[in-house]
Amino acid sequence: TCCVLAWEVQEFEEFHVDMLLVKENCHLYNPEQSVVRKDCDEVFQFYSTEHEKLMDKWQKVRLDSWLTCSLARLKLMFNIQS
């Protein structure tokens, strides 16, 4: 379809907020030199890298989706057959 579902975006944003809360809690309740804190930082380094890649991909998909929708709307407006 040409339109992104709003609930998909909201679920992803909620997941990201939850992940940031996990990191915040990890830092709050675990001393800097603890194994748990080090593991947390390692996991979040990976998560941050993957999140950034996903955001780049998401921006491209959103642009492609917007262009596809815009073209479809123009065809409808001007009754253009493909």
Side-chain angles (χ1 to χ4, degrees), residues 17-68:
V17 168
D18 288 347
M19 289 295 287
L20 295 177
L21 182 60
V22 168
K23 180 181 180 185
E24 183 180 324
N25 286 337
C26 178
H27 282 206
L28 182 63
Y29 296 108
N30 297 283
E32 209 171 301
Q33 298 304 316
S34 72
V35 173
V36 172
R37 174 96 174 247
K38 288 178 182 181
D39 287 347
C40 174
D41 290 341
E42 185 178 333
V43 166
F44 273 90
Q45 179 63 40
F46 175 78
Y47 174 77
S48 296
T49 301
E50 295 304 308
H51 179 261
E52 189 174 317
K53 289 178 191 176
L54 186 58
M55 289 294 93
D56 290 343
K57 185 177 180 179
W58 179 251
Q59 291 300 324
K60 183 183 181 316
V61 167
R62 285 180 57 194
L63 177 60
D64 288 348
S65 177
W66 180 84
L67 290 172
T68 301

Side-chain angles (χ1 to χ4, degrees), residues 67-81:
L67 290 172
T68 301
C69 285
S70 296
L71 182 57
R73 287 184 190 116
L74 285 172
K75 286 181 178 182
L76 285 172
M77 283 174 48
F78 295 103
N79 198 21
I80 299 171
Q81 302 296 319

